[in-house]
Amino acid sequence: MIIKKISLVVTAFFSISMFAQETATASLEIKPEVKLSYLDSVKSSFKKNDMAARVDSLWMKELTSLDIYDDLSKDIQTINTDITVDEELPTELLKQRLQAMNEKSPFNIEYNQGLENIIKSFLKNRRKSFSRLMALSEYYFPIFEESFSRHNIPLEIKYLAVVESALNPKAVSKMGATGLWQFMYGTGKQYALKIDSYIDERSDPMKATAACSEYMNKMFNVFNDWELVLASYNSGPGNVTKAIRRSGGQTKYWDIRSNLPKETQGYVPAFYATMYLFEYHKEHGINPERAVVKNFETDTVNIKNEMTFKQIADLLDMPQSQIQLLNPSYKLNVVPHYQGEPHFLRLPKDKIATFVSNEDQIYAYVQHQSGIRTMSKQLALKVGPKAKAKLEKTIPTETEIYKVQKGDNLGAIADKYDVSILDLKKWNNIKGNSIALGQNLKIKSNADPIAKNPKDLKAMPETDKKPTEAVAAADEKEKTSGQTQEYVVAAGDNLGSIAKKFGTTIADLKELNNLPSNNIGLGKTLIVSKAVLEIDEPSTVNNAIVSTNASVDSFKKGASSAKMGEDYYVKKGDSLYSISKKYPGVTISDIKKWNGIKDGDIKPGMKLKING
């Protein structure tokens, strides 16, 4: 018994000793200081606003999708009003509902077999499309109604935008008609819509609707009949007057319909069918999808300097796609600055509050970014044409194959690979906007980003391009170094904590992983860094660029920048690339050479020499 007690005492003593040693060791561990980038340091000074109006991924996907537009356009052009459609809708009940619609509308809505066939066709084939369109209408219809009420236009004309563009401001027809109201280039100019290299106001919901209101008023003064106004909107007033003459002077749409162009013959019935489905969707069991954001939850701010969507997205912690959706008239993802002309940016109200409260810091950051691009451009001039030609020959064209998945569209795929829709169409010989499920698309990796913009680097949407990507000497030897780094989301994680852990920003994490919001699911695999280009034997010009990069990094990191000549202990999540970024002027090759590393593998706790 005494021996047992003694052994217990000894065991307890050793346990306490071990615990004390662990505690002492833990207390000596120094937590690595989290180094903020210049962008994060700017954002950390922002005054926060508690308003939480956000646009989620569903709403963004619907606004960018051209699927409904393509489907409805084909329906209207090819639908045969003389073919009876088998769909449950008693004719007498339809007549009663059309009569009720006619009583409260300035249009002459009358029952006929052709209209019944189109309504039944939409009910049979387009239920899901109309469910999605009704969600979009909660954003766009208030814009239309406000403009129409000011110009004395029947509010029912709002349904025409569904027929014209499926409520997609980026819709472009085969003939080049653009925007919600499908204006041709000449018509847009005629109604004072600005169209230049940066802006296409045919895609601006408010300005295009005002132009539409003006057109409708003029045509009503000519025809004095709203159905003929709709017909003229589709085929032009000349075709309507010809149809009137060929019909012996008849002036009612249904009397002259057979003498109108084929597309226009299905146009007005499609308008009435759309109006009917919106009015009686509950009776047919069509449930509108949830409208995440309504127009009154957004606001505009006047932009005083040229800014890219990338800069705005980084500063306000929101995806670029969200800015594109709310500002479809900016063609190059750039808000330009013209002398004497104001340009406005539409954002959710909480983001407007953040922007207005922190304008000085925001414009200072934009100025800083512009300075980087200017240095890059000046250094690029030092590269001779021969060297440039030689460099271009050494860069191979890499083609990746992407298989179209459910829910994909050209806009989403272009955003995913950071290429333009025009490039996607050109590479894959696509004429319209339709892509098939399972279709293989070619994605070329060396598309020239400068070609997207007439002002070279000045207006590149990707403003975080490094000067080394803008120019390189002919004698460079390039090779890919490092690995794409991934992280599996654990319990308690959020984008902010992950960004700090890996020395990156929330905006970068969103861009790398195509995240529409700050929400991440438990167990989701995130890309936290990508493989980078390592440059050996830099030329004189490249030395200048590296020096420029070092000064920029130094400016971003400020007093907290790591020092040369010290030892660095590898932490979990580190890569050679992320470590090299901590030390101005240090390359991956340097770290490998100083530490005898051949394959690029490093492990947590490993000691690295950073030689000065």
Side-chain angles (χ1 to χ4, degrees), residues 438-537:
Q439 179 180 350
N440 288 328
L441 297 181
K442 297 176 186 174
I443 313 289
K444 296 188 179 180
S445 62
N446 70 333
D448 183 7
I450 300 176
K452 295 181 186 178
N453 199 306
K455 287 191 179 179
D456 299 329
L457 294 171
K458 182 182 176 187
M460 281 178 65
E462 297 273 334
T463 57
D464 279 348
K465 296 284 183 191
K466 296 174 185 169
T468 45
E469 294 171 326
V471 58
D475 58 349
E476 286 176 352
K477 296 177 183 176
E478 300 178 357
K479 58 184 178 180
T480 302
S481 176
Q483 298 177 340
T484 298
Q485 208 172 351
E486 295 181 343
Y487 175 76
V488 179
V489 177
D493 277 342
N494 58 56
L495 285 183
S497 64
I498 296 170
K500 287 181 180 179
K501 185 179 291 185
F502 292 98
T504 183
T505 66
I506 294 173
D508 284 342
L509 284 177
K510 284 184 175 181
E511 286 297 315
L512 282 172
N513 297 278
N514 197 24
L515 297 176
S517 70
N518 288 338
N519 296 326
I520 49 173
L522 184 64
K524 180 179 176 63
T525 301
L526 297 179
I527 299 171
V528 293
S529 71
K530 285 194 172 182
V532 296
L533 194 69
E534 180 188 334
I535 302 173
D536 289 337
E537 302 176 16

Side-chain angles (χ1 to χ4, degrees), residues 84 118 151 362 466 506 590 602:
T84 303
I118 290 184
H151 294 87
I362 286 172
K466 296 174 185 169
I506 294 173
D590 290 335
I602 53 175

Side-chain angles (χ1 to χ4, degrees), residues 350-368:
D350 62 323
K351 302 300 182 185
I352 290 285
T354 302
F355 191 103
V356 172
S357 301
N358 304 280
E359 277 189 310
D360 290 343
Q361 297 100 305
I362 286 172
Y363 287 123
Y365 175 74
V366 171
Q367 182 98 22
H368 164 67

Side-chain angles (χ1 to χ4, degrees), residues 289-305:
E289 292 184 6
R290 184 172 61 94
V292 180
V293 159
K294 298 179 175 62
N295 186 257
F296 64 80
E297 294 177 319
T298 66
D299 202 351
T300 58
V301 61
N302 185 14
I303 301 300
K304 300 170 185 174
N305 286 319

Side-chain angles (χ1 to χ4, degrees), residues 262-323:
K262 186 177 179 181
E263 182 183 336
T264 312
Q265 292 180 25
Y267 186 74
V268 174
F271 169 74
Y272 285 147
T274 300
M275 189 189 305
Y276 172 83
L277 261 65
F278 269 78
E279 292 285 330
Y280 291 99
H281 66 90
K282 290 180 182 177
E283 287 76 0
H284 290 286
I286 299 175
N287 299 313
E289 292 184 6
R290 184 172 61 94
V292 180
V293 159
K294 298 179 175 62
N295 186 257
F296 64 80
E297 294 177 319
T298 66
D299 202 351
T300 58
V301 61
N302 185 14
I303 301 300
K304 300 170 185 174
N305 286 319
E306 182 178 292
M307 300 180 74
T308 68
F309 285 6
K310 174 82 165 65
Q311 289 169 331
I312 298 162
D314 286 346
L315 286 161
L316 300 182
D317 277 336
M318 58 191 296
Q320 281 190 70
S321 54
Q322 182 173 335
I323 304 171

